[in-house]
């Protein structure tokens, strides 16, 4: 009996301390204030466009965004002509044509974002054997979501002296295991923002995270807008049905 | 009472040939129901409605989904991004799966607490356990369809369990897979069966309903109705109560669908399946975690029986044992309200199942192994030792003479008492 109680106590101590255990593996990234959080959350359009610029000029050298179409960019405030111009800057392999030949043409709004490498093997070959993951769903597919992606961008440090790093690996305090194949992607003034915002590392990290959350959940705003209406309607209906239920049951002792 | 529309000549003409109207009147309107059902009795009809929601959203999803290893993941994302309100339909379907299990688990524990499995409702209970098994198969196969990392590795781990069967294990696994690994044939058959199983569930639910209506619902007192004063017609009393419960449920459900749609999911499943990369922790969906804990609690061989085989047998046994509950519990008293010891053991069992779920979600290391083993042992001890023993050592409290007695006072009172305005007992 005493042993059982001991085991139970140990269990509860363990529940309480498990975050600390996790912290030993990789630090918990700081919780940021995001405009898209909360019941009424929405995207900061200017941040999305700056984030798109960071993705295009920095991330897209190695990371694909294969589930997003250029046409989707109208949702973050680009005009149709701007989207046509953005899409036209990339080369898309199309075909076969009437002669059976594949050919390159400028991109169209209906194209998906063109990936930097033709296949995974090419991506690994160019990146020291590591595969840069597709970013279309990255904020949904990592524990910690946007906070983790943001933390990863700002979490590069010098490795502790007692840690032996493998060749070509960088130290990142928020990456599980701390050894990450991606070199610190951001540095101050790496991009030149057109809206005059100063391109500091934390600013770019926040902007690109905003953009990637939109890329992963383009329905987020519509979902929350609709959710508020649906829940309000259901609350009202539930309240009314409760009143009806009480009225119907008022002559039945139970 | 005869409904006014039953006098309509067209209704009578149809009813004479196909008695659908008299059936509705008998089973949905007049159907005599105990007057004292609590809100715990809402969860049966709620489960039925969620089943319909799952089938309707599932059929729409199937119109846009492609069951092929190269296209499955992308077709799901196409639903999320390009199909009109596809995100809504998919989020209702994925969260609906979790809601279905929450509701059914509450429904099952309600049955255990109030002894709803006892004579004459043994077959009703058995049909319910069959529904649970069908639901588990359906949910497992459905989780494979998006072909994310957890889909693939969950399917690999669970189908591999059958390799524990002596001699023919590997042959069975190859047969299940339709190949030598989880691959396109596996995805195709899972899709086919995932579409089929809900209709099997509908069939068993129909039998469940027929069996229920034979003797009517059990009730919180666990005693049989003694006369008409103990029962009220289903409509409007329980139709309105079920409607209220449904809307309350939908409000909470909408909260998850619209504001935390991935709360019950694994982030890992938004990474496309990759047979060459094993995720750090392979965990099933939350509703399978207790069984997963039981499976992994066996870390030792016994004679020629491998730990894996015993784990698999115990995992399936943890559900199959429910079939025997009507005969393991020998107490003549149904409701735990009048069973002082059983009432406490019931809550210990609830906690035990929660502990098993918690252990199942953690890696099988250190203290979790020990806790999982204790909780597994207790789970089986509850059904195989404590429940049979209890009927000998427990003295039940005295039962009321009728359902109406505690609310109307005296020994039941005349039927007219139901019509008089009286102070509510609750």
């Amino acid at each position: 009996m005493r042993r059982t109680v001991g085991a139970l106590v140990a269990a509860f101590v363990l529940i309480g301390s498990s975050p600390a255990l996790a912290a030993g593996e990789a630090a918990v990234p700081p919780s940021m204030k995001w405009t898209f959080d909360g019941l009424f959350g929405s995207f900061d359009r200017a941040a999305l466009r700056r984030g798109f610029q960071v993705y295009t000029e920095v991330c897209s050298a190695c990371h694909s965004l294969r589930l997003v179409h250029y046409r989707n960019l109208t949702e973050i405030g680009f005009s149709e002509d701007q989207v046509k111009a953005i899409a036209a800057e990339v080369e898309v392999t199309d075909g076969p044509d009437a002669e059976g030949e594949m050919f390159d043409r400028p991109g169209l709004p209906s194209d998906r974002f063109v990936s930097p490498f033709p296949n995974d093997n090419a991506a690994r070959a160019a990146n020291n054997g590591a595969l840069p993951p597709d970013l279309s769903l990255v904020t949904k597919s990592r524990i910690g979501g946007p906070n983790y992606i943001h933390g990863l961008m700002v979490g590069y440090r010098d490795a502790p002296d007692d840690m032996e790093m493998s060749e070509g690996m960088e130290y990142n305090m928020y990456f599980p295991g701390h050894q990450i194949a991606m070199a610190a992607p951001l540095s101050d003034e790496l991009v030149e923002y057109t809206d005059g915002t100063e391109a500091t590392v934390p600013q770019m990290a926040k902007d690109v995270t905003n953009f990637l959350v939109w890329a992963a959940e383009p329905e987020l705003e519509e979902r929350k807008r609709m959710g508020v209406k649906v829940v309000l309607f259901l609350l009202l209906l539930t309240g009314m049905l409760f009143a009806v239920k009480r009225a119907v049951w008022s002559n039945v002792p139970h | 009472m005869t409904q006014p529309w039953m006098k309509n000549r067209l209704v009578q003409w149809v009813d004479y040939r196909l008695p659908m109207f008299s059936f509705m009147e008998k089973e949905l309107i007049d159907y005599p129901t105990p007057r004292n059902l609590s809100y715990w009795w809402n969860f049966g009809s709620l489960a039925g409605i969620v089943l319909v929601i799952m089938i309707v959203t599932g059929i729409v999803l199937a119109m846009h989904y492609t069951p092929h290893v190269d296209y499955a993941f992308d077709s799901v994302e196409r639903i999320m991004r390009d199909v009109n309100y596809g995100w809504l339909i998919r989020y209702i379907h994925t969260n609906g799966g979790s809601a279905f299990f929450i509701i059914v688990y509450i429904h099952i524990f309600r049955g255990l607490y109030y002894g709803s499995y006892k004579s004459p409702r043994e077959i009703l209970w058995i049909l319910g356990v069959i529904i649970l098994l069908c639901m588990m198969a359906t949910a497992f196969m459905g989780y494979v369809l998006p072909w994310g990392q957890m889909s693939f590795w969950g399917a690999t781990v669970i189908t591999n369990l059958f390799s524990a069967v002596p001699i023919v294990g590997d042959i069975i696994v190859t047969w299940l897979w339709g190949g030598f690994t989880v691959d396109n044939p596996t995805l195709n058959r899972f899709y086919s069966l995932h579409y089929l199983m809900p209709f099997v569930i509908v069939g068993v639910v129909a039998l469940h309903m027929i069996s229920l209506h034979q003797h009517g619902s059990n009730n919180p007192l666990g005693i049989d109705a003694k006369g008409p004063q103990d029962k009220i017609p289903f409509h409007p009393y329980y139709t309105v109560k079920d409607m209220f419960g449904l809307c309350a449920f939908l409000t909470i459900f909408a909260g998850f669908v619209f504001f935390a749609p991935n709360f019950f999911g694994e982030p890992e499943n938004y990474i496309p399946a990759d047979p060459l990369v094993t995720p750090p922790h392979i965990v099933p969906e939350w509703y399978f975690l207790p069984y997963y804990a039981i499976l992994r609690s066996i870390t030792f061989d016994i004679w020629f029986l491998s730990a894996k085989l015993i784990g698999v047998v115990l995992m399936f046994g943890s559900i199959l044992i429910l079939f025997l509950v009507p005969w393991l519990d020998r107490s003549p008293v149904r409701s735990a309200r009048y069973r002082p010891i059983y009432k406490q053991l019931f809550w210990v069992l609830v906690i035990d199942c929660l502990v098993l779920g918690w252990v199942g979600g953690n890696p099988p290391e250190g203290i979790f192994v020990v806790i999982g083993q204790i909780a597994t042992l207790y789970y089986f001890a509850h059904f195989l030792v404590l429940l049979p023993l209890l009927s000998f050592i427990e003295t039940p409290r005295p039962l009321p003479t009728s359902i109406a007695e505690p609310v109307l006072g005296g020994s039941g009172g005349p039927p007219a008492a139901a019509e008089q305005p009286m102070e509510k007992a609750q």
Side-chain angles (χ1 to χ4, degrees), chain A residues 11 14-15 39 66 71 136 140-141 215 219 222-223 226-227 234 237-238 241-242 248-249 251-254, chain B residues 35 73-74 77 81-82 85 87 91 237-238 244 247 250-251 258-259 261-262 267 270 358 367 371 407 418:
Chain A
L14 212 80
I15 299 171
L39 296 185
R66 60 183 193 89
R71 61 175 156 80
S136 313
K140 273 171 120 179
S141 63
E219 89 297 345
E222 189 190 11
R223 172 159 58 77
M226 192 192 287
L234 283 171
L237 188 61
T238 306
L241 278 165
F242 183 63
V248 167
W249 279 77
N251 64 344
V252 184
H254 60 282
Chain B
R35 63 191 303 146
F73 187 91
D74 286 7
E77 276 306 312
R81 290 158 189 271
D82 291 335
Y85 298 105
W87 57 269
Y91 278 154
Y237 298 108
Y238 286 107
F244 165 62
C247 274
L250 286 179
T251 309
F258 290 103
F259 299 109
N262 294 301
Y270 280 109
W358 171 63
I367 189 79
I371 298 173
V407 280

Side-chain angles (χ1 to χ4, degrees), chain A residues 4 97 128 192:
Chain A
T4 320
D97 61 14
N128 200 15
E192 197 178 327

Side-chain angles (χ1 to χ4, degrees), chain B residues 383-400:
Chain B
F383 290 108
L384 293 175
V385 181
L386 299 176
L387 216 48
L389 212 59
L390 219 50
S391 47
F392 295 105
I393 58 173
E394 185 182 51
T395 316
R397 291 171 45 210
L399 295 169

Side-chain angles (χ1 to χ4, degrees), chain A residues 4 7-8 10-12 14-15 38-40 66-69 71-72 112 124 131 136-137 140-143 214-220 222-228 230-231 234-235 237-239 241-242 244-246 248-254, chain B residues 35-36 39 73-74 77-78 80-82 85 87-88 90-91 232 236-238 240-241 243-244 247-248 250-251 254-255 257-262 267-268 270-272 274 277 358 367-368 371 374 407-408 417-426:
Chain A
T4 320
L8 279 176
F12 284 109
L14 212 80
I15 299 171
L39 296 185
F40 305 99
R66 60 183 193 89
L67 297 174
V68 183
H69 293 80
R71 61 175 156 80
N72 296 128
R112 288 163 182 260
R124 281 185 194 278
L131 179 67
S136 313
L137 287 165
K140 273 171 120 179
S141 63
R142 299 294 188 278
I143 294 164
W214 168 79
E217 300 181 86
E219 89 297 345
L220 183 142
E222 189 190 11
R223 172 159 58 77
K224 293 193 172 185
R225 281 311 101 75
M226 192 192 287
V228 170
V230 170
V231 170
L234 283 171
L235 277 175
L237 188 61
T238 306
L241 278 165
F242 183 63
V244 175
K245 188 254 163 192
R246 281 178 65 112
V248 167
W249 279 77
S250 61
N251 64 344
V252 184
H254 60 282
Chain B
R35 63 191 303 146
N36 61 335
Y39 278 107
F73 187 91
D74 286 7
E77 276 306 312
R78 189 173 172 77
M80 293 298 288
R81 290 158 189 271
D82 291 335
Y85 298 105
W87 57 269
L88 178 58
R90 172 161 180 264
Y91 278 154
I232 48 179
Y237 298 108
Y238 286 107
V240 72
K241 195 175 178 181
M243 282 294 287
F244 165 62
C247 274
L250 286 179
T251 309
V257 167
F258 290 103
F259 299 109
N262 294 301
E268 193 87 26
Y270 280 109
I271 300 173
D274 185 347
V277 180
W358 171 63
I367 189 79
F368 292 114
I371 298 173
I374 294 169
V407 280
L408 298 177
E419 308 306 320
Q420 290 166 8
M422 296 187 79
E423 206 184 341
K424 286 196 180 172
Q426 281 184 5

